[in-house]
Every structure is written in C-alpha cells, then in structure tokens.
Amino acid sequence: NGTDYQASVDFDGLTSGTYSVTARNTSDPTCVSTALSVTINDVPNAPATPTADVVQPTCAVPSGKISITAPLGAGFEYSIDGTNYQESENFIDLIAGTYSVTARNTSDPTCVSTALSVTINDVPNAPATPTADVVQPTCAVPSGKISITAPLGAGFEYSIDGTNYQDSEDFINLIAGTYSVTARNTSDPTCVSTALSVTINDVPNAPATPTADVVQPTCAVPSGKISITAPLGAGFEY
C-alpha cells in the first residue's frame, strides 16, 4: 500500500482490490522501487443449483440418463456423486438410485453449487402373459370374441396383432384365424408381455337338408313315422 512495509514476501488474507506493490532498502527506507500494480479479484460466485433432463430406464433401454440443462458453458464441470467431475453435461448408463447433481467452476473447483437430487427408477417389469376367455363363432353370431381376464387395470393396454393396442380388454367381431394376444404397460409401451396364441374357429356350417324314410299310417297302425337317414351323428338334433 506504499505505507506499511514488512520483511515477509507474502501478503495474505487480502480482499478484492488493486494493490501497489513496492520494495525498499532496509538500510535506507527512502530508496523505494517503482510500483507493481496487482489486482485481487472478487470472490467467485458458486454456480446456481443445476437443472437437468432425466431419461428413466425402459424395458427397451434398461438404464437411465441425466443431462444437465443449466448452468452450461466452458467454465463449468459436473458431478452426480459430489466427488467425480466431468466437462460433459451427460451422464449415461445409470442404474437405479438417487444422484446428487452439482456444478462447479473450472477456475475454482472449491466453488460448488448446491445439489439437485435426481432419482433414477428401477427398470420396469413387462406384464405377465395374458389370459383370456374366448367366444367362438356360431351360426347365430358368425364372429368370435376374445376377452382379456388378466392382467387387468388402468396401467395396461392390449393387442391381438402386436401392433395396435387399446384400453379395452374386449376384442369383438373377429373372423377365423390365430391371434397373438399381448399386454403392455401404459407408462412404458416398450414393456410388452410374451404372447398368448388364441384361435378363432370358422363359422360352423348349418347341416344339409335332412333325408328321411317315411312310414305311412295303415289300418293296422293308424299313425305315421318319419326316420331321419341323414345327417346322422352325435352332433345333430332333429
């Protein structure tokens, strides 16, 4: 400061400001050097608490991701454990758990933000293989029906072709064929059950016009008789 001199070469505990650094001879204090101007900067501010986008695990991608959205720039490093820092704002392949997201100044690693707590969820489970009741076509109702009986609830959607899903557990007006019945989570459409194969039969054919033998009444037997000759079998009534 041009006034107070000391034998030590170190000046510590200095606040921000501009200092005029001089040296003088101890043998003749009037012999003073020209001054060196030195500026001590303000104490740097710690970064603001980070914000981040979070990608949760899915059945298709069973790990999470945290992407810092602020603060951004060359002057920052980021951590999700408070110890290991990196320049990239992306943390990938994360397992389930709670992470403490902080930013710090690269110019002064002691300037660390307060933490943002981020939770990565467990990998979701796919639904169990569906069970279903099946109504086959009849002559009266010439189409089939599949009704899912499990799993049921607001968290599921259902399909009979692996592509088109619906909230309702009932599939009606089905033609003959084999259907692949699956359930998936509404919260994560990549979580799809294994398939239940269901066959809807052809519409049954009506029997052919019957043929019959006829016995007419006689004086001895005054009543007639009709005996069906075709179609015959356990599957018919007359």
Side-chain angles (χ1 to χ4, degrees):
N1 61 10
T3 302
D4 301 300
Y5 283 83
Q6 64 181 38
S8 172
V9 294
D10 294 321
F11 295 84
D12 55 15
L14 301 178
T15 62
S16 60
T18 300
Y19 294 84
S20 182
V21 182
T22 54
R24 71 180 181 183
N25 292 335
T26 54
S27 60
D28 183 355
T30 63
C31 290
V32 179
S33 71
T34 55
L36 169 69
S37 180
V38 175
T39 298
I40 298 295
N41 297 332
D42 291 325
V43 178
N45 292 321
T49 304
T51 59
D53 288 336
V54 181
V55 178
Q56 297 292 352
T58 66
C59 287
V61 182
S63 61
K65 178 181 179 183
I66 297 172
S67 296
I68 310 299
T69 54
L72 299 178
F76 301 105
E77 293 180 318
Y78 312 98
S79 174
I80 56 173
D81 62 6
T83 301
N84 301 292
Y85 281 82
Q86 64 181 44
E87 293 179 357
S88 173
E89 65 272 17
N90 295 313
F91 295 85
I92 63 173
D93 298 329
L94 302 178
I95 62 173
T98 300
Y99 294 86
S100 182
V101 182
T102 54
R104 72 180 183 185
N105 293 338
T106 53
S107 59
D108 184 353
T110 65
C111 289
V112 180
S113 72
T114 55
L116 171 69
S117 181
V118 175
T119 298
I120 298 295
N121 299 332
D122 292 321
V123 179
N125 293 320
T129 304
T131 59
D133 288 335
V134 181
V135 177
Q136 297 292 351
T138 66
C139 287
V141 181
S143 61
K145 178 182 178 183
I146 298 172
S147 295
I148 310 297
T149 54
L152 299 177
F156 301 105
E157 293 180 318
Y158 312 99
S159 174
I160 56 173
D161 61 7
T163 302
N164 300 293
Y165 281 82
Q166 63 182 41
D167 293 332
S168 173
E169 64 271 18
D170 294 320
F171 296 86
I172 62 175
N173 299 326
L174 302 178
I175 62 173
T178 300
Y179 294 86
S180 183
V181 181
T182 54
R184 72 181 183 185
N185 294 338
T186 53
S187 59
D188 183 355
T190 66
C191 290
V192 180
S193 72
T194 54
L196 170 70
S197 181
V198 174
T199 298
I200 298 295
N201 299 331
D202 291 323
V203 178
N205 293 320
T209 303
T211 61
D213 289 337
V214 180
V215 177
Q216 297 294 345
T218 67
C219 290
V221 181
S223 60
K225 178 182 178 182
I226 299 172
S227 297
I228 309 298
T229 54
L232 299 177
F236 299 105
E237 291 180 319
Y238 312 95

